[in-house]
Amino acid sequence: MVSIIVPVYNVTSYIEACIKSVMRQTYDGLMECIVVDDCGTDDSMAIVERLIAEYTGPVEFNILHHTHNRGLSAARNTGVDAAKGDYLLFLDSDDELSNDCIDKLARPVRNNPQIEIDD
């Protein structure tokens, strides 16, 4: 499983494109997207919640809420603590993934079962 961690703080102009880029992934393995609400003051999280409510694809979405703004590093750490994936990808909420990003990143591991990852 691949876990994509997206910290969200005041990114209204970008968050829809970011989340939709996760939804468009062509990777056929298990994926989850952990969205961490870092208590912004705009409607970023309302956009995220609407998109996830309308989504019916294979990516499992999970929203985590901080009780107050803790910053980017803390939001990423919150996502790491909740992640179920064998591999983690940090995606900033003002960035987008190409449709085949996770597929390309996972391909070397899938094609070479001898690759060992230290815990």
Side-chain angles (χ1 to χ4, degrees):
M1 176 182 269
V2 175
S3 298
I4 302 169
I5 299 169
V6 183
V8 176
Y9 181 81
N10 289 349
V11 286
T12 297
S13 299
Y14 308 102
I15 193 62
E16 184 164 350
C18 175
I19 297 300
K20 284 184 174 181
S21 77
V22 173
M23 294 174 171
R24 287 193 304 266
Q25 290 305 296
T26 59
Y27 179 65
D28 62 356
L30 297 174
M31 271 189 301
E32 70 174 344
C33 181
I34 300 168
V35 178
V36 182
D37 173 12
D38 201 27
C39 299
T41 57
D42 65 4
D43 64 345
S44 297
M45 288 309 300
I47 294 168
V48 170
E49 290 167 358
R50 174 183 53 81
L51 291 170
I52 292 172
E54 296 169 353
Y55 179 68
T56 59
V59 180
E60 176 187 327
F61 282 87
N62 186 9
I63 298 175
L64 305 176
H65 301 276
H66 282 170
T67 56
H68 60 280
N69 178 257
R70 295 174 50 200
L72 180 61
S73 294
R76 285 182 176 160
N77 288 338
T78 296
V80 168
D81 290 344
K84 297 182 281 187
D86 302 303
Y87 303 97
L88 306 178
L89 177 85
F90 296 109
L91 176 61
D92 289 341
S93 51
D94 61 348
D95 289 336
E96 299 175 44
L97 300 174
S98 63
N99 293 351
D100 60 351
C101 177
I102 303 301
D103 187 51
K104 283 183 175 178
L105 291 172
R107 192 173 302 141
V109 176
R110 282 184 155 186
N111 292 341
N112 188 353
Q114 279 71 34
I115 293 176
E116 293 185 25
I117 307 297
D118 292 333
D119 289 326

